[in-house]
Amino acid sequence: MPGSALDLLSGDAQTFVTKVWASRVHLHRTDPERLVALLSLDDVDTLLTSSAIRTPSVRVAQDGAVLPESSYTRGATLAGKPLTGLVDSRKALALFEGGATIVLQGLHRYWLPITRLVAELELELGHPCQANAYLTPPGAQGFAVHSDSHDVFVFQTAGSKQWEVHCPDGADEVLLEPGVSMYLPTGTPHAARAQDTVSLHVTLGINQLTWRGLVERSVADALAGVTDEHLPAGYLDDPRGLADELAERLESLAADIRGVDAGAAVTAEVRRFLTTRSPRLSGGLHDVLAVPALDDDTLLRRRPGHPCVLIPRDERIEVLLGDRAVDVPAWLGPALEDLRARRELAPRDLADHLDPQSRLVLCRRLVREGLLEVAT
């Protein structure tokens, strides 16, 4: 996908970060084929009718109410063990034909094009992201006016949908069609109705990390140092004594907080984020099979949406890869910095830093860890 995920959804990424985040509604137009390729009607048909998709990956809503799972699921057995929550395609399609909206939840966990888009968006924004898709029959509306507890991007991949977006100065009507994406900040009331044809749209939720959360995590050790002993008996009759003791503890806590290393706290925050993303290893089977034959001329590619952040630690370097961290000797630093700057490379491209055996060992490990994939 050419360009960044943020460019695809909102235009110039820097403009979005500096201006759009503080606005109410932002529309962006792009090549419809680029958005449709992320999730088409045929893709949804496959998921609903030709896969073993289960709840809670699917829910169904109609006229503002979420329908019970029993109305569109069935049970089965696999190797003699029960399976529950399997979507019954006949029931689901019958509900859809009757005006219900089918919601594909957590789409980033099982649909590769959306997985890649969300992975790239998370790295650009530094916030966890998620994706749902909404399949709505002609003229129907799945949910009444509501607001979300997170920012969202919305883009249409089939049909059209009329959005009612409530802003501080009134309500706007926005028609979304393939090629148009919309950004809605947290708490923006909205509702949407399909027009004359079936509608399919995707919402990308941005689960913002906040200053409060960062501060709380940064001072957690200081707070943990406050004693958990009981308040002294008799403080109801003599609250001044309790106030004096509280003042002493607050002053001690303040001193501990003043001693917090902000740089170290931010490094810890980066590490926390870049070691807790979901594993994203599409093509990993082929990579594992190709590792034994990997040689100095094998073309390798940085896997999309995977970070490579280096944190020096004494004589070692911690490499943050998104879902994990790996520990390597510090002398690999120059080679890793060179690798970080490239989208594609062969092991021989690291000849300025490593001997043939060392660069093969490094590249094979990074293929196994998922940072690199074998280009085909």
Side-chain angles (χ1 to χ4, degrees):
M1 183 176 67
S4 72
L6 202 52
D7 287 340
L8 174 65
L9 297 170
S10 67
D12 176 70
Q14 187 60 36
T15 298
F16 174 80
V17 171
T18 58
K19 297 180 181 179
V20 176
W21 201 280
S23 71
R24 297 304 300 174
V25 179
H26 173 71
L27 297 177
H28 174 64
R29 294 184 180 275
T30 190
D31 179 4
E33 292 185 3
R34 294 180 65 193
L35 293 179
V36 172
L38 295 169
L39 184 73
S40 68
L41 280 177
D42 286 342
D43 297 333
V44 173
D45 185 286
T46 297
L47 286 170
L48 289 176
T49 67
S50 304
S51 73
I53 196 167
R54 303 168 64 184
T55 57
S57 295
V58 175
R59 63 174 172 155
V60 179
Q62 187 167 9
D63 298 329
V66 176
L67 303 185
E69 293 183 5
S70 59
S71 65
Y72 58 91
T73 62
R74 63 183 177 86
T77 59
L78 179 63
K81 296 183 178 180
L83 287 177
T84 60
L86 285 167
V87 171
D88 186 315
S89 56
R90 287 189 181 277
K91 292 179 180 179
L93 292 176
L95 291 172
F96 172 78
E97 190 175 16
T101 291
I102 296 177
V103 185
L104 299 175
Q105 300 191 125
L107 198 61
H108 58 290
R109 298 188 180 278
Y110 55 88
W111 191 251
L112 181 57
I114 299 295
T115 298
R116 288 174 172 166
L117 178 69
V118 165
E120 293 175 4
L121 193 61
E122 285 190 339
L123 293 188
E124 291 181 67
L125 294 178
H127 296 269
C129 299
Q130 64 186 44
N132 293 343
Y134 298 78
L135 179 70
T136 304
Q141 177 175 325
F143 298 91
V145 175
H146 65 283
S147 60
D148 296 316
S149 59
H150 50 259
D151 292 8
V152 295
F153 285 108
V154 184
F155 61 88
Q156 197 79 18
T157 67
S160 61
K161 213 162 195 181
Q162 188 77 35
W163 287 70
E164 175 188 333
V165 182
H166 293 259
C167 301
D169 55 353
D172 291 333
E173 296 291 331
V174 179
L175 182 65
L176 286 192
E177 299 172 308
V180 179
S181 59
M182 177 172 61
Y183 163 75
L184 297 176
T186 300
T188 303
H190 60 273
R193 181 176 293 276
Q195 299 302 287
D196 296 335
T197 60
V198 62
S199 166
L200 176 62
H201 79 265
V202 176
T203 64
L204 300 173
I206 306 167
N207 301 308
Q208 304 96 327
L209 300 177
T210 65
W211 278 110
R212 174 180 290 183
L214 176 56
V215 170
E216 288 177 345
R217 287 187 288 275
S218 300
V219 303
D221 289 343
L223 288 173
V226 177
T227 180
D228 201 29
E229 62 185 292
H230 296 171
L231 296 180
Y235 76 88
L236 296 177
D237 292 328
D238 183 18
R240 289 176 299 178
L242 184 65
D244 291 341
E245 288 195 42
L246 176 59
E248 292 176 5
R249 284 168 168 77
L250 290 176
E251 181 57 36
S252 176
L253 176 62
D256 290 341
I257 290 176
R258 284 192 293 269
V260 171
D261 184 330
V266 169
T267 297
E269 182 73 0
V270 170
R271 187 188 188 282
R272 186 185 70 84
F273 187 85
L274 292 182
T275 57
T276 57
R277 315 326 308 141
S278 298
R280 290 151 178 157
L281 299 174
S282 62
L285 173 60
H286 295 287
D287 290 334
V288 168
L289 293 173
V291 162
L294 191 151
D295 60 30
D296 223 21
D297 295 314
T298 302
L299 184 61
L300 305 173
R301 183 183 299 117
R302 284 280 301 277
R303 193 180 294 275
H306 277 243
C308 180
V309 173
L310 310 182
I311 299 181
R313 297 194 183 280
D314 298 325
E315 298 301 315
R316 311 289 294 180
I317 294 177
E318 192 174 36
V319 187
L320 309 185
L321 299 176
D323 66 324
R324 63 176 60 198
V326 299
D327 182 74
V328 299
W331 55 267
L332 288 175
L336 288 169
E337 290 288 0
D338 192 350
L339 186 150
R340 272 167 41 89
R342 300 172 182 265
R343 185 175 182 275
E344 292 185 342
L345 77 156
R348 55 180 159 74
D349 293 325
L350 302 178
D352 290 345
H353 314 291
L354 300 173
D355 62 71
Q357 183 62 27
S358 296
R359 59 186 184 249
L360 282 179
V361 170
L362 175 63
C363 289
R364 285 169 176 162
R365 179 174 184 183
L366 293 179
V367 169
R368 291 189 177 99
E369 297 289 354
L371 176 65
L372 300 177
E373 58 185 0
V374 178
T376 56

